[in-house]
Amino acid sequence: MANTLIGSVLERKTTAPPTAPSTSSLSSSGFRNGFPLAQHRSQGPSFGSSKGKGKSAFQRAREENRRNGNAGDSERLEEPPKVGTGSKTQSSVTSNGEADRDAELPHKSSWRSQISLENEARVSSMTEEERERERQEIIDRFGKDVGEILRRTREKREREEREVAKKREGGSEDKDVGMEAVELTDEVVDNSARKGFTPTSPLRSATSTTSSTRTNSPTPSSRRLRFAELAPQNVHVYESAPSSPKRKALALPPPDKGDASVVKLGDLGIKPKMLYTENGEDQEDAGVDSSKPSPKLENKPKQESVDKEPEGDEPEEGTPEYIQRKYFPSQPRPKDVPELAWMAEGSASASGSTSTSTGSFTTGISAPPPPPLSHPFQNVSPTSIPGTFDKDSQGPLSRLRFTLHGTPISPSLSLKLPTHLGLHHHAEGTHAGYTLDDVFLLSRSTVKMQRSAMLGVLTGIVRVIRGKRSESKRSAASASSSSEEAGLSVSKPQPQSQSKSSSHLVDLESYDYEQDEEIRSALEALRSPTASQVAKRILFTGLEACVEKGVVGVRGVEVVAEVLTRFNGLRRGMEGDDEAHDDELDESFDEFALDLGGIETSGSSEMQDILIEALPLHQVLPQLVGVLIDPPDRAVDADVSITSSIYVKTSTPTQNRILYIFHTLASHSNQVAEELCKTTGLVSGVLKVFVTPSPPSSTSSSSSVNSDISLHILALRFFTDLALASRANAKALVDTGVADVLLRFIFSSSSAFTTPTTSSTSTASSLSPSPPSPPSSSSSSPSISPSLSSPTLSEILRFYTALGRYGMYTHIAADAKEVWWSIGQWIEHIIKGMDANQQLPPLNSTFSSPSPSPSPSPSPSSQPLSRSISFWDFLKSFSSLIEIWLVAATDPHRTTPEHALVWSQVEGLGWGMWVCGVLKNLLERFSSAYHFDSQDIPNPSNDNNNINAHVLNAFGALYRALAAWVEGAEINAVKGGEEVRLVAVEVVKTSLSSTGLVDVVGKEIKEQLDSFHRLRGTRTSLKLVRCSWVLGSVMRVLVSVDPGSAILSSEQAKQLRAVSQGVVRLLAPSSSLIASGYAFAITSRPLTLFLVWYLRLLKGTSPVNAWLPYALAVLPVLQNGDEDGAVEVLKYVLRAVDDVDGPGALGRNGVDIDMIRSFYEYEIRGKGVVPRVQTSKNRETAEDEEDDADADVVEEMRLTGPLSPTSKSILMSTTQRLPPPSPPLSTSDLASKAEEPTVNTRRRAVKEWGPTGLPLGRTWVIRPVDHLLRSGNPNSLFKNTHVVTRPQGWNPGEVEIVRAVLRLAVIGREVLHKASIGATTFMTMEEAVFSCMKIFMLEHEQDMEAPREGMGEEVFRDGLVEKWMGELLMPYTIAERVNAQTTSPLPSHPTSTLTLEEVSLPFLGPSNTPFYQFYTDLVGLYDAVSFSHPLFGRILLPPTSMRYAVDYRRLLWCDYPHVVRSLRIPVEQMVLGDGEGVKEWLWPLEKDPRVLGAYVGVLMRYGGVLEGFVRWIALHHIAGNIWEDLSEDKFTESQKEKSGRLLKTVVQQGTRDVVREILMYRQSATLGVLFPPACFTTAGEWREARKGLINKLGVGGQNLLGLLDI
Amino acid sequence: MNAPARYELFVLDEGERPVEVTEDTKIPNAATVKIVKQDHTLGNMLRAQLLSMPQVLFAGYKVPHPLHPYFLLKIQTDGTVTPEAILEQACNKLIGTLSSLDQKFKREFSFKEVESSGTTGLGGTTTGGFASGEDPYGVGSGVGGAAWGSGKDYLDF
């Protein structure tokens, strides 16, 4: 846009002819040889100036110049002076302008005034809008403060003009007084200045402008002159801000009596609002009598400067600011440069007018006084603390007050509270309590107790932020109880203060702030995501205090631990989980998740996430390690521990909290976990503090018990978590010796295991009263000492399992074989004990943990972990360990290091037989005496649902171990492990008996699946998942033991089929039951595991057409970590699809389905093998140097270990934890997509396009086309061909790929439809349409120079592609839908109401391509190349239904009317979505005048040619806007008038056919849709009404009415 | 950088034919015409002209690559004429339209010149003013703006 205010720079003719540089200055000043003479300053003034003595060389040189007069000036005239109309050229103007100032002064002022007149005239002629635009433009160009600068210069100039005028009148011409800068009067700028934006810092050019002029140097004459003219408003008062508020406060004059704003002296220096109050006073003073300097200012030494510096803008000579401006004008301002920071102190005060913060203090004279302060409260603002919040956004928060416990109190309550609660010490007026700012300020106090008290308040505030009061109370209780649990009684300040003031706090305790209306908004603000700043501040305040000694440090750690506590439990991700918060459930869920490999908790937008990401881990972790080693509460602790035990060192509460913090961090994300592992001393520190090795002297059993107690379960879990996070971590843990230390515990407790075997009779008898699980009631069976150590032992075994999943530390299996053997013996003995008794108690009473522990999981304590021990847990851990070692031993080259464990060793240990024995024994027990299903009543209130969870887990682990044994034997044992298989079959047979495990579990799953709809929740899903894991393990055994699955009865096979279908339905992407969440992600692992194993089983037993639909249904639902399984399934599927038609069928020619396998494999694995975070550098190398790219890829690779480890996975997997689930694609995100501001949030939710990894989702079939379209994208397969294996010479063309893809899609859908299983996993109409759109968009390979099959052969012109695309879309056509309604009740495709825009998001992604743009391109392509391809035309129409924004219709109907003409689509061929069907096209009626106009226009112009669906749509909307009887509601007057006009237009311009159809068109919004031609032939009352309208309007006459009578 | 030399936009290569017509093998009465050394200017005009002719069922063009100076015109007729014939007709009509437009424009413009020279010299003087540089603020000044405003109407036929 042309800028009309700022004209171009023109060269002006100079009036003075340029003269050659004169040497007079050199010669006259006594320079010799061209160099100045060296002369010491002290040698006196040689120039006669009285002031020269103290002057710098620069100044003298300048004076010299001036003395030389014009000679010096003309020297500078070489450069032509320029005239600028804006301040951009100010500086140059300034320097040059002064040269010809004297000569040109009159002229200059005249042209200036002329310009200014012109400008003013123009500005006044502008509209308000234009002015605003111009103003904005000027501001854009010159910065915000241009207005201020211009205003100042203008003032100055006017002042000077006045001076000159005066002087002229007096006849005294002083040449020195002139205008120093040429500033144009600009009314616009003045406007902007007046509108009151305040400058923050002036342009540098402005600074140099005012400082580089000659007039600045104070010669006596000029100064004297100005001095005489000094007007009060010209005085610039230099702010004399003291360096600290204290000093300033002391300098205050005593306040007036009765002044409302008087502040107590006690608050000085602390209350931030002090500044404001005082400020107000200042300004009031100044405002009252600005002519006379305020008394306060008179006290200051700088008052002199007021006299000395009348100019107002010039700093005093000698001040840092002055030096800086004068000699280093190009330097940045001192406060911006650290080296010059020392100057900032002084200059900040000197440059008062340049910064707003000080400006508010200092410009009291010029600035208008602020509104009077009515009450000191209202002015208390957080901004008064440097670096806090924004004043506006934190409005309600700044007034919220808290008690000493962090409980918020409402303003009314705070007025009522008595003064002795300690809440008034820092309070204002009569309000009690502390604001957030108070707390933050006081938490930096130097008084330790004050500081610690405030940290306590912060802890309370965090609990308030988190919400639930009950929870916070509980966690508070547990926080304090953690000390008791560790055998300590640390005296804590908080309980003390509680007890002290407890009597007064009674009313406060009962006060429920959640219900208080007054502070609701403040609470909401506090909890809103935007308030994470507050939490962040709290976190950092706590971190600051952590390193302190004593109670402050304790409280600091407390605050940090509290802030980092997970705000919502892991399982909270489950949508619709309305179960109450249940700690025990949480605990069991977390434990189960750990068994499954864990999951990263990052990725949510919760507060905890933001906080952890904000942590500077590099600095924080070493500090925390320091605190951990030397905790501040060590002294107290030491006394206690010494008295209690000599060698048992227990951890202090602070250490517990730090461990808790570490644990939270470790579970956050793998990166953080690696960071933790890398921090020097962290792991060893935790080991030292929490895992104390038992003293070497202790060989007795008592010592071993003691040492076990000192083992901290949370610490063990922390290690397990670290190991699960990444392979590097596991290696680091082994290297640090964690595993070695833990092995010692196993050794020391192994002596206990031998006890029962040696004295079996005694234990058996002792067992009899409370069999079979003495561990659960540890009090009753003291004889079995391992029961005491079981939980810790289980944890240790779990840690070894985690290591084993990377193939690490497996050598202990052989090295410590005695221990494992004795453990195995002990377990067998226990089970035999059950046998001996023949008295099996109902499992629910025994194994449901009988002691409900009150401790909650989010507390930083180990209490929840020390639940009653379960023998079954131990058995499960041990079996899992056996399983992983068996897997590791299968191939010795896969372990790290190699040959750590070999098969012969494993065989020697006899684990396989042991597993068989135990399993068989157990199964016999259960099948004879116990029915699993006796307690299957789903009853969430009862603990029953949790019952045999532990038993089931143990069974599952045993089955897995068995499977691993059989699988290993197949490779390593003689004859492919035939004998082993025989043994295993025996075991499996037992479990497959009529009341056996499989039946029971299967029934259980089915029931859970059924009830899942009603009772969605953690309990149900947990149970379901556990059962399916067991079932999956059984399947795994079956697959390897009995490939033909002959032992599976038909009944059982049926049941399994039903179960698997239910699971598929549950996991199907369209299932609305489950939103994606952490809980869902983690719980789906066993489900998919079951599906994969079941599929393998099925594949071995049934013909292709039985399992192919199942495989097709399973493939899209497989989840993260199932990559191996998915690739295998894919292989089956592709091979099978290739065979479906059989050789020689139509699809055979040129379609090689296997060719596209690389795409799918890449999609499945891609996420892990492509660098996840692509920096620009990476991207370049990826393109330039292939080798380097490879190295990068390997580094960033992520392979999640599968749930059933294989010998390959233990070598390859880099992590065992699931990545955080990707945020769900919610429709609410897209509902607001029209609004621009939401774009950013949407971007965050949708990832950049690339291979999605698992789950594949419904549209997986079509993915290869994405890669074709995005072949240039760095994430495309074509850029990453090295990642997946592909056949030699693999270079398929677009047509081949699309053919294969479509064939797979068509066959897949058919198969799924026929089998009626999982048809819901196929595409919706929108997805299918979008897939076709992508195919139509393919045009890369149209080589015009060398056409292959006909010229410009587009992909969609290929015969097969065309045919299959038609088949793909067929089920969605109107004709098919009408058929389907009558014939088959089964849905042929999933129903979904996602729009095309939403469906396209994963592909178009956030790469700045909205679907609208894609659609625009598509329409353009249709217009250019389609030859009115009928299918292409059909594809164009879906986005123009009334469901979508009007823009799509405008594009098609208004911008491409000729395209509409060529859309010859029969109505029944139209594809429809699932929502409203064809109604979504018809209602609501089109109201947009442009589209309506286009309808009319197209219909009038192409009336005869237009046909099919588009004609119907146009007719419908035109008729609907003419006839009132078609509309949903009555016409308004304006609508009636419009309808009349519309009718006239139609009648006058339309052909007879069109007019007739408009007249006869009949449709009803409420009844079913009438398709053409039925909609033109109905009769009814409405005809008369229409006739009436025609008569009324008088259009057309009888001819027209006759049409209606037919 | 990779842009071809400017002359390549309008100079035919050795042995290059300016127009190539390829009949479509699959669609009846359809042809793709490749016209080299031309761009959207001609392509769009031709397409619009073709679309306005009743025999044409489909007409579209595209410029496959912005740096390659040719476009593809796709024509499908209803069978009464061949695509080549209809293209020829379209070209003739287009030429006719353009030449009549040219004539009209010239005539009107000469009217305008006569008219304006008869009535006032305002436009002339302001232009002279620009040239002499006496108004250093060019378009920014009110007079200049007025001149532009008044001078605009000769385009508004």
Side-chain angles (χ1 to χ4, degrees), chain A residues 361-660:
Chain A
F361 303 145
T362 56
T363 53
I365 288 172
S366 55
L373 314 174
S374 57
H375 194 274
F377 270 97
Q378 283 155 12
N379 249 22
V380 178
S381 141
T383 44
S384 47
I385 297 181
T388 34
F389 328 102
D390 197 10
K391 193 175 190 169
D392 308 323
S393 63
Q394 307 288 332
L397 288 188
S398 62
R399 252 164 279 147
L400 190 61
R401 292 179 170 278
F402 297 92
T403 65
L404 282 172
H405 302 282
T407 315
I409 36 180
S410 65
S412 59
L413 187 65
S414 73
L415 277 172
K416 276 184 240 151
L417 287 177
T419 52
H420 54 256
L421 292 180
L423 296 175
H424 282 75
H425 292 305
H426 300 276
E428 200 51 58
T430 45
H431 282 275
Y434 298 82
T435 64
L436 271 177
D437 286 313
D438 290 338
V439 176
F440 281 129
L441 194 72
L442 290 170
S443 67
R444 298 202 308 255
S445 166
T446 49
V447 183
K448 286 210 165 177
M449 285 319 291
Q450 197 170 39
R451 193 170 174 190
S452 71
M454 285 305 139
L455 289 170
V457 176
L458 285 179
T459 314
I461 292 174
V462 173
R463 283 175 198 145
V464 170
I465 292 178
R466 199 176 303 134
K468 298 232 171 78
R469 192 160 198 233
S470 53
E471 271 180 66
S472 68
K473 267 185 177 171
R474 238 185 316 170
S475 69
S478 74
S480 51
S481 70
S482 66
S483 55
E484 277 103 23
E485 172 220 329
L488 295 168
S489 60
V490 179
S491 63
K492 301 175 80 187
Q494 188 179 338
Q496 280 178 1
S497 66
Q498 253 171 357
S499 58
K500 239 188 253 169
S501 53
S502 58
S503 56
H504 309 295
L505 282 178
V506 174
D507 54 340
L508 264 185
E509 283 296 321
S510 59
Y511 162 61
D512 190 0
Y513 55 84
E514 297 281 355
Q515 303 301 322
D516 201 321
E517 291 290 338
E518 278 183 85
I519 54 172
R520 178 158 291 170
S521 69
L523 273 179
E524 272 166 17
L526 200 63
R527 283 168 191 166
S528 70
T530 52
S532 64
Q533 286 300 324
V534 178
K536 222 182 255 183
R537 274 195 86 198
I538 293 176
L539 174 65
F540 281 98
T541 309
L543 284 173
E544 244 171 70
C546 272
V547 287
E548 298 289 326
K549 294 276 168 219
V551 71
V552 176
V554 174
R555 285 301 180 87
V557 175
E558 201 179 308
V559 169
V560 175
E562 194 67 45
V563 171
L564 290 182
T565 299
R566 198 183 290 150
F567 276 52
N568 282 317
L570 190 60
R571 67 187 189 89
R572 291 280 148 164
M574 190 77 88
E575 196 186 68
D577 191 354
D578 44 1
E579 284 176 47
H581 181 78
D582 187 339
D583 296 322
E584 203 188 321
L585 194 58
D586 271 358
E587 160 63 18
S588 68
F589 187 84
D590 285 352
E591 209 179 320
F592 188 62
L594 206 60
D595 277 341
L596 290 171
I599 186 170
E600 291 174 65
T601 57
S602 63
S604 71
S605 52
E606 280 177 21
M607 206 174 268
Q608 188 204 15
D609 239 26
I610 302 165
L611 293 179
I612 291 179
E613 267 146 36
L615 271 184
L617 288 173
H618 289 285
Q619 292 148 37
V620 170
L621 290 180
Q623 285 182 6
L624 283 179
V625 170
V627 180
L628 178 72
I629 306 272
D630 184 19
D633 47 359
R634 165 66 78 210
V636 192
D637 162 46
D639 297 336
V640 183
S641 63
I642 283 170
T643 54
S644 67
S645 162
I646 299 169
Y647 42 74
V648 172
K649 189 175 65 174
T650 43
S651 51
T652 68
T654 302
Q655 287 174 322
N656 285 341
R657 283 198 193 97
I658 289 179
L659 179 65
Y660 176 75

